[in-house]
Amino acid sequence: MRLFPLIPILLVTACSDGANHLGNPLLWPFHAGTSAAQNAVYQQRRGAVEVYVKSHHTEMIHDIQAGSGPHLSAAMDIAQVPAEDRPARIVQLQGDVGIYTANVGALVVALMVYGR
């Protein structure tokens, strides 16, 4: 009988208002639905970027080397790369242009990383 008052105290102390990596269990179904929707939107955008890059790869490499161009701009638009970030991102692309010339997938990944 001495343990009876101890049980509620232990239950209350187990609750924490601190953050954890799992979040509130009551919100898990909502987070699962939100995550699925976000993943679907991302996959659709990634697919569009991949199709565009594969269709215009040679032109995009020329645009990267030149520092700008319509095909690179269009791909950045599809990937949703912020306009204010584009000059720095183009410099990064130019630094690794050899990789992107040899590997179309690497260019797709780079554009998606730079996008929102």
Side-chain angles (χ1 to χ4, degrees):
M1 286 296 186
R2 289 184 179 178
L3 292 178
F4 182 70
L6 187 58
I7 293 172
I9 292 171
L10 289 175
L11 290 174
V12 171
T13 58
C15 297
S16 170
D17 63 349
N20 63 56
H21 70 284
L22 297 175
N24 184 339
L26 299 175
L27 297 177
W28 289 351
F30 173 75
H31 292 303
T34 303
S35 179
Q38 289 173 340
N39 286 340
V41 169
Y42 174 84
Q43 290 300 328
Q44 183 178 9
R45 186 167 42 102
R46 189 185 194 296
V49 170
E50 187 170 353
V51 167
Y52 190 85
V53 170
K54 285 182 177 180
S55 299
H56 303 284
H57 183 247
T58 303
E59 295 90 348
M60 288 189 62
I61 296 301
H62 292 301
D63 287 356
I64 291 169
Q65 291 170 333
S68 67
H71 296 289
L72 181 58
S73 294
M76 288 185 159
D77 289 342
I78 297 167
Q80 298 178 2
V81 178
E84 62 273 10
D85 292 350
R86 291 183 184 192
R89 302 306 183 194
I90 291 171
V91 170
Q92 288 176 312
L93 291 171
Q94 287 174 327
D96 293 324
V97 73
I99 294 170
Y100 305 131
T101 301
N103 188 338
V104 176
L107 182 53
V108 171
V109 169
L111 290 170
M112 291 304 296
V113 168
Y114 299 155
R116 294 182 185 191

